Amino acid sequence: QVQLVESGGGLVQAGGSLRLSCAASGRTFSTYVMNWFRQAPGKEREFVSGISRSGSYSEYADSVKGRFTISRDNVKNTVFLQMNSLKPEDTAVYYCAAGRTTRRGGYWGQGTQVTVSS
């Protein structure tokens, strides 16, 4: 089992940047594929990005490709989401999730709010 805690959310103007972090407990972090999802008010949760166990492979939703970058540090048991050129439509609660594949979550964090003002 792994416990996940997100941080780094906040309020930013359109065009700005934020870096989200997700710290994992336990000694098995490197055995999980890590993903970021988001959920905007009134919308379903959607996949944002995922990264392989070693960090050598990553995937992105089309809506964030070229603007967001996922990375991980298996020594510090942390996954990051660097978000640049933020848009108001990026406003959502962002969740990290640990799973066995990209685009799927097994263990979830509590989420961190990202608000992008126009």
Side-chain angles (χ1 to χ4, degrees):
Q1 190 171 355
V2 61
Q3 293 182 324
L4 305 170
V5 179
E6 302 97 333
S7 61
L11 173 64
V12 63
Q13 288 187 334
S17 298
L18 282 174
R19 189 192 196 204
L20 305 184
S21 299
C22 173
S25 65
R27 297 175 292 177
T28 60
F29 176 75
S30 62
T31 67
Y32 290 98
V33 173
M34 297 301 297
N35 294 283
W36 286 97
F37 292 80
R38 67 186 181 187
Q39 187 166 21
K43 294 188 177 181
E44 294 186 354
R45 186 171 57 196
E46 64 174 355
F47 170 79
V48 175
S49 183
I51 190 167
S52 64
R53 295 170 181 82
S54 68
S56 61
Y57 172 78
S58 58
E59 291 183 19
Y60 297 92
D62 288 343
S63 58
V64 307
K65 203 170 293 184
R67 299 188 297 122
F68 290 11
T69 303
I70 191 171
S71 61
R72 68 187 295 162
D73 185 333
N74 285 344
V75 174
K76 296 182 178 180
N77 287 3
T78 304
V79 61
F80 305 97
L81 186 67
Q82 178 66 43
M83 307 186 295
N84 298 329
S85 302
L86 284 162
K87 304 175 182 179
E89 50 264 44
D90 294 319
T91 295
V93 178
Y94 283 71
Y95 300 89
C96 71
R100 297 302 180 188
T101 184
T102 56
R103 303 178 184 264
R104 295 281 180 89
Y107 299 101
W108 295 84
Q110 83 290 348
T112 186
Q113 176 71 47
V114 171
T115 303
V116 184
S117 63
S118 57

